[in-house]
């Protein structure tokens, strides 16, 4: 489902950019400082960090989540929360929470079958846990 493309930090390897599989699906590195987000070009634009784990646009700056089974990721999530995140686009799978921010394409993934969602959740619960507290999103400059 291409989860690694955004949720696994990228690094510079011997042959150019590559995914850092020691941090597979751990989201934006918690200790990585970012410069201020550049204003997006009109009417709509999006730019990403070198790790491809942080994205800036008219929504502000969003950071990809830790999808590992560590408590700083989805370790305490229930299957029901995962369904809510994927089907309704809700942060941490909580019905009353904010919407997931771009570029997370939950609108596409919500069409997965129940079996597919269960399989992805079971897989994520089976991978190596990585302790990584992802920063909260930064609102757009106009909202500050």
């Amino acid at each position: 489902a291409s989860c690694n493309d955004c949720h696994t930090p990228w690094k510079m390897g011997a042959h150019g950019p590559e995914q850092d599989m020691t941090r597979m699906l751990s989201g934006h590195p918690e200790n990585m400082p970012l410069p201020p987000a550049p204003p997006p070009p009109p009417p709509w634009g999006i730019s990403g960090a070198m790790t491809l784990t942080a994205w800036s646009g008219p929504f502000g700056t969003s950071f990809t989540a830790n999808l590992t089974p560590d408590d700083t990721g989805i370790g305490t999530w229930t299957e029901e929360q995962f369904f809510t995140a994927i089907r309704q686009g809700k942060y941490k799978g909580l019905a009353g929470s904010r919407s997931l921010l771009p570029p997370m394409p939950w609108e596409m993934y919500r069409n997965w079958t129940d079996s597919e969602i269960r399989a992805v959740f079971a897989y994520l619960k089976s991978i190596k846990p990585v302790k990584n507290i992802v920063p909260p999103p930064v609102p757009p400059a106009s909202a500050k």
Side-chain angles (χ1 to χ4, degrees):
S2 301
C3 301
N4 276 317
D5 290 351
C6 295
H7 291 271
T8 297
W10 288 65
K11 65 179 182 175
M12 190 56 71
H15 303 287
E18 62 185 27
Q19 292 175 335
D20 182 355
M21 297 311 284
T22 65
R23 300 182 56 78
M24 185 176 85
L25 297 171
S26 65
H28 182 75
E30 65 184 301
N31 296 320
M32 175 179 272
L34 288 177
W44 219 93
I46 192 167
S47 61
M50 290 293 293
T51 58
L52 298 179
T53 57
W55 302 91
S56 294
F59 49 84
T61 301
S62 63
F63 302 94
T64 57
N66 181 347
L67 300 180
T68 74
D70 187 80
D71 286 350
T72 60
I74 66 164
T76 61
W77 284 38
T78 64
E79 188 177 85
E80 181 180 358
Q81 283 176 274
F82 193 69
F83 267 80
T84 301
I86 297 299
R87 289 266 165 80
Q88 299 174 31
K90 292 299 182 179
Y91 175 68
K92 293 194 176 190
L94 301 172
S97 65
R98 67 168 171 78
S99 295
L100 296 178
L101 296 172
M104 176 58 190
W106 68 269
E107 297 92 344
M108 178 180 74
Y109 297 134
R110 72 177 170 196
N111 297 313
W112 283 345
T113 66
D114 288 356
S115 295
E116 289 168 331
I117 294 174
R118 279 190 194 96
V120 170
F121 185 67
Y123 170 73
L124 293 173
K125 288 290 201 163
S126 76
I127 64 174
K128 179 185 110 185
V130 178
K131 183 173 180 55
N132 182 47
I133 300 171
V134 174
V138 178
S142 61
K144 290 181 184 177

